[in-house]
Amino acid sequence: YVKSTKEILEKASKERYAVGAFNFNNMEFLQAILEAAEEEKAPVIVATSEGAIKYIGKGDIEAGAKLAVEMVRTYAEKLSVPVALHLDHGRDFKIIMAAIKAGYSSVMIDASHLPFEENLRETKRIVEIAHAVGISVEAELGKLKGIEDNVVEKESVLVDPEEAKVFVKETEVDFLAPAIGTSHGAFKFKGEAQLDFERLKKVKEYTQIPLVLHGASMVPQDVVKLANEYGAELSGAKGVPEDMLKKAIELGINKINTDTDLRITFVAYLRKVLSEDKSQIDPRKIFGPVFEQVKEIVKERIRIFGSSGKA
Ligand SMILES: O=C(COP(=O)(O)O)N(O)CCCCO
Ligand code: NA
Ligand SMILES: [Zn+2]
């Protein structure tokens, strides 16, 4: 059933577990994510980036947002678990407004590339509008490394817990994504994976609100290997290790954004199925086994996040 992001995350924060926020940009990924949550009896957040809304709407933002909402509602109303739809990395005011108008439960205003005062002002503006119509808001403090959609962040600037305290108080934002060393995509760490747990601990203590981990995909090496065996070129791919995810959850992370793990699984098994079933031309016979695997990896993530059975 449909439930608000805020209710889902406040329960998670109180009970110290995390809820997956899985990205989708087509029907099959959405189906796989929702089936996984249902089978794990877990609350789940499904998310679209701005690019996904444009992709779903073939460039028409209002149509894309509306279709995403209607797909989620049509599936979710049949499920026994709570489902919320979230706008990931909102940057364009028009798209954030389109998501709110279409019926998204929460929106992220990502102004983390701006100086603190501007991030604060931008976030405050969106919070005022969203709260006026009962929508919750996520913001980001500090910078992730790597490519954030179309903004290349050269270096990661880790969150300042003192700034986080002021930021949350001033903006009344509902959830905060503190940068603690992760980055988007499959190539997260040059050397050893490391997250700044000290900062995370302080941010939770100072803000006492649900926290979000971006760039949290684990990049499973067995799946990377399989993809490469069937012709992909993903050498050097590295994600967040399980023990670090679990420690981040203990320290107060309640929403874990996961996209790359689903993408790598999709690509590995699509390559495998196409190369093994050479006469297959029915998309359902190709996508069926591929998205079965995507569902399984989502279930694995839900178990690691501690949200299995929490519906
Ligand atoms: O923080 C994340 C997920 O990051 P990851 O790339 O680790 O799955 N997202 O916000 C998902 C969209 C970013 C582009 O993939
Ligand atoms: Na987000
Ligand atoms: Zn992100």
Side-chain angles (χ1 to χ4, degrees):
Y1 52 95
V2 173
K3 190 170 178 179
S4 75
T5 308
K6 191 168 172 75
E7 287 171 291
I8 288 176
L9 291 183
E10 288 191 336
K11 179 173 180 288
S13 189
K14 205 153 43 71
E15 300 176 21
R16 283 268 147 165
Y17 60 87
V19 175
F22 301 99
N23 290 71
F24 72 95
N25 46 42
N26 69 16
M27 180 183 73
E28 286 81 3
F29 275 96
L30 178 59
Q31 290 172 331
I33 295 162
L34 294 180
E35 282 162 18
E38 183 73 4
E39 289 178 21
E40 285 300 317
K41 299 192 178 2
V44 71
I45 295 165
V46 287
T48 59
S49 63
E50 294 190 335
I53 287 181
K54 289 174 190 163
Y55 176 84
I56 293 171
K58 297 302 281 178
D60 178 336
I61 289 167
E62 307 246 338
K66 184 168 175 285
L67 188 45
V69 167
E70 288 176 356
M71 269 201 289
V72 171
R73 281 189 185 151
T74 304
Y75 288 130
E77 65 195 13
K78 296 203 305 276
L79 301 181
S80 69
V81 297
V83 180
L85 174 58
H86 173 75
L87 171 68
D88 192 22
H89 288 291
R91 286 220 164 117
D92 179 331
F93 185 74
K94 281 194 318 301
I95 299 180
I96 297 174
M97 292 304 117
I100 288 176
K101 204 172 138 197
Y104 278 60
S105 173
S106 53
V107 295
M108 177 184 187
I109 164 64
D110 179 359
S112 60
H113 53 291
L114 299 176
F116 178 76
E117 284 307 325
E118 284 177 57
N119 184 357
L120 194 149
R121 197 168 50 246
E122 268 289 286
T123 301
K124 204 171 159 65
R125 179 186 182 214
I126 299 297
V127 168
E128 274 162 12
I129 296 167
H131 283 186
V133 288
I135 306 300
S136 55
V137 181
E138 171 188 332
E140 184 174 325
L141 262 188
K143 295 189 178 87
L144 297 182
K145 292 192 287 285
I147 317 277
E148 277 206 4
D149 257 357
N150 48 16
V151 177
V152 180
E153 297 297 354
K154 282 278 176 295
E155 82 300 328
S156 95
V157 177
L158 303 180
V159 64
D160 172 348
E162 295 294 335
E163 278 191 355
K165 181 160 43 175
V166 171
F167 187 88
V168 167
K169 189 162 169 296
E170 292 289 305
T171 61
E172 296 184 6
V173 73
D174 302 283
F175 328 118
L176 183 70
I180 56 172
T182 58
S183 60
H184 289 138
F187 306 91
K188 294 184 191 298
F189 302 98
K190 294 259 175 309
E192 276 314 294
Q194 65 182 78
L195 300 184
D196 194 321
F197 294 115
E198 277 317 300
R199 286 174 198 263
L200 173 56
K201 192 159 178 265
K202 286 203 184 88
V203 169
K204 190 69 173 187
E205 194 187 311
Y206 293 171
T207 64
Q208 292 297 315
I209 63 170
L211 299 181
V212 185
L213 189 63
H214 281 252
S217 277
M218 299 173 67
V219 187
Q221 291 308 302
D222 56 331
V223 181
V224 170
K225 186 164 170 288
L226 184 76
N228 290 337
E229 273 165 15
Y230 285 95
E233 291 173 358
L234 294 170
S235 51
K238 192 184 187 91
V240 181
E242 179 171 340
D243 62 312
M244 289 194 178
L245 276 186
K246 291 200 163 169
K247 182 153 182 201
I249 296 164
E250 279 165 30
L251 293 174
I253 290 289
N254 307 110
K255 172 173 175 276
I256 300 185
N257 286 19
T258 307
D259 188 15
T260 293
D261 284 347
L262 283 63
R263 293 178 166 192
I264 291 177
T265 303
F266 165 74
V267 163
Y269 285 93
L270 181 62
R271 286 175 172 276
K272 182 173 191 293
V273 167
L274 286 177
S275 87
E276 286 173 357
D277 194 350
K278 293 195 186 312
S279 58
Q280 187 54 257
I281 60 168
D282 180 342
R284 293 165 301 176
K285 297 254 183 12
I286 294 166
F287 277 174
V290 170
F291 282 94
E292 193 56 32
Q293 294 297 331
V294 173
K295 180 187 80 173
E296 285 308 317
I297 198 128
V298 174
K299 287 172 72 174
E300 274 176 44
R301 292 292 170 279
I302 287 173
R303 288 194 287 270
I304 291 172
F305 298 167
S307 40
S308 290
K310 296 286 186 189

